[in-house]
């Protein structure tokens, strides 16, 4: 590992970087016009970047060909206006590297790597996994802690060791554990250039107060300006306004509660996609075998979105 210092040639990905859903026309084809509308909707909402092929993008349920095509299409649509980060994780190092190369060729700005899943992996193997991918790409890399989906966490000690590598530029944490996040942000003492992004949107304001630098939040797909305005308030050190925006963000739970909350994340992606379809942004098809919202859920979502439009703005 190289000694830690502030790199001069690597970007710092900070602010509101939504984990965008993957608009699908059918199980292995993109809803291209929906992708274009989603990109423009988010950019107009003031987001600081896009994170594609994360958990919210159903990466584990998409074919490798579709993942690569999605990367190419989104990079083309964004056209360097804001940074594009690409989730590349696969249980196979070879496939992970292939997607990293596709991201590099498409013009993405960075890649995001979570832990492998299915087989148990110890922390030493996890470091080997990260280093194996790094050796095959020139793009800056963010770590991604998502234990609810992968059943494995990056230990803080592992993150501290990996932080010695200049090419690793930050971490996104979706553990919902604010104490773990606070321990991560102490790494600013060795990597002041690092990005610390929170996934759980109800913790956004608290995470920024704890030293975080931005959010990768599902609700940004629906109300990008709300999240962007909270970030502006943070940059202006307006704590009262931050609290106000966080209270509005917390109201998005009403949308998520329409989903089956007994299962982690996937039903929330489903209601988010259906809400986007109600807003006229993109289709709400889920990758097979996952099911979207029922007719009754769609009706409730329509009513809830109308209510939120009047209460949030």
């Amino acid at each position: 590992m190289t000694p830690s210092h502030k790199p001069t040639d690597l970007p710092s990905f900070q602010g509101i970087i939504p984990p965008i859903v993957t608009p699908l026309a059918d199980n292995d084809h993109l809803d291209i016009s929906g992708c274009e509308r989603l990109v423009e909707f988010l950019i107009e909402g003031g987001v600081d970047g896009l994170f594609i092929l994360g958990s919210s993008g159903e990466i584990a349920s998409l074919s490798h060909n579709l993942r690569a095509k999605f990367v190419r299409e989104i990079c083309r649509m964004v056209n360097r206006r804001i940074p594009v980060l690409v989730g590349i994780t696969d249980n196979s190092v070879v496939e992970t590297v292939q997607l990293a190369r596709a991201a590099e060729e498409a013009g993405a700005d960075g890649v995001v790597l979570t832990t492998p899943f299915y087989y148990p992996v110890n922390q030493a193997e996890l470091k080997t996994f990260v280093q194996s991918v790094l050796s095959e790409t020139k793009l800056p890399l963010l770590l991604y802690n998502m234990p609810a989906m992968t059943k494995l966490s990056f230990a803080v000690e592992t993150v501290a060791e990996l932080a010695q590598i200049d090419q690793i530029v930050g971490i996104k944490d979706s553990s919902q554990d604010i104490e773990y996040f606070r321990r991560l942000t102490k790494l600013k003492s060795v990597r002041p250039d690092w990005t610390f992004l929170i996934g759980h949107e109800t913790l956004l304001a608290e995470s920024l107060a704890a030293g975080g630098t931005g959010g990768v939040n599902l609700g940004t797909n629906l109300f990008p300006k709300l999240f962007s305005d909270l970030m502006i308030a943070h940059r202006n050190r307006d704590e009262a306004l931050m609290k106000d925006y966080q209270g509005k963000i917390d109201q998005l739970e009403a949308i998520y509660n329409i989903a089956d909350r007994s299962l982690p994340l996937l039903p929330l992606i489903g209601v988010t996609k259906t809400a986007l379809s109600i807003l006229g942004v993109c289709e709400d098809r889920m990758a097979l075998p996952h099911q979207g919202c029922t007719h009754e859920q769609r009706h409730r979502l329509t009513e809830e979105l109308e209510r939120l439009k009047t209460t949030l703005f």
Side-chain angles (χ1 to χ4, degrees), residues 1-5 143 157-168 187 190-191 193-194:
M1 296 185 183
T2 58
S4 83
H5 56 84
L143 306 175
E157 297 75 15
T158 298
V159 178
E161 188 171 346
L162 291 171
Q164 297 176 50
I165 304 173
D166 288 344
Q167 192 179 349
I168 300 178
L187 293 172
V190 294
R191 286 297 298 268
D193 60 301
W194 249 35

Side-chain angles (χ1 to χ4, degrees), residues 233-267:
H234 169 67
R235 290 167 177 157
N236 292 334
R237 300 182 180 180
D238 190 333
E239 294 183 8
L241 195 54
M242 283 181 66
K243 183 177 180 180
D244 179 61
Y245 285 129
Q246 184 64 64
K248 291 180 177 180
I249 287 171
D250 292 347
Q251 293 184 45
L252 301 188
E253 283 292 306
I255 287 177
Y256 304 139
N257 285 335
I258 294 172
D260 176 7
R261 298 300 295 267
S262 67
L263 300 172
L265 189 57
L266 201 62

